Amino acid sequence: AAAGAAAMAEGEGLISVDYEVSGRVQGVFFRKYTQGEAKRLGLVGWVQNTSHGTVQGRAQGPADRVRELQEWLRKVGSPQSRISRAEFTNEKKITELEHQDFQILK
């Protein structure tokens, strides 16, 4: 397992993906929960509200962990949220993480 972790740290299988979630996702602590879930999965990136009522952001990390967050953004969200759609764009392989942690942007 230690060897696997070392390989991961060297950027094997890291991906970056942008997301936008529509539905009842503002004013329901969606960003806070997204940040919590991303940190639990060990991902970096950001999340913010948009002016048109959606939540958008970027997630980076090991591909399988990013997939877990995508599934969470599609189906779970924060307790009070109602997700109608989650779109994922600009998915790409990256050699290193471009963010230090997972932040909520204003």
Side-chain angles (χ1 to χ4, degrees), residues 17-70:
V17 69
D18 294 346
Y19 58 86
E20 184 168 8
V21 185
S22 310
R24 184 169 163 234
V25 293
Q26 289 193 6
V28 292
F29 301 104
F30 199 90
R31 292 173 301 167
K32 185 175 189 297
Y33 276 87
T34 300
Q35 181 188 46
E37 186 66 10
K39 288 191 165 187
R40 186 183 74 75
L41 291 167
L43 302 175
V44 300
W46 52 272
V47 60
Q48 70 182 163
N49 284 339
T50 69
S51 57
H52 51 273
T54 64
V55 169
Q56 67 177 17
R58 175 175 295 151
Q60 297 185 340
D64 56 340
R65 298 293 180 90
V66 172
R67 298 270 173 261
E68 280 190 62
L69 184 68
Q70 287 179 297

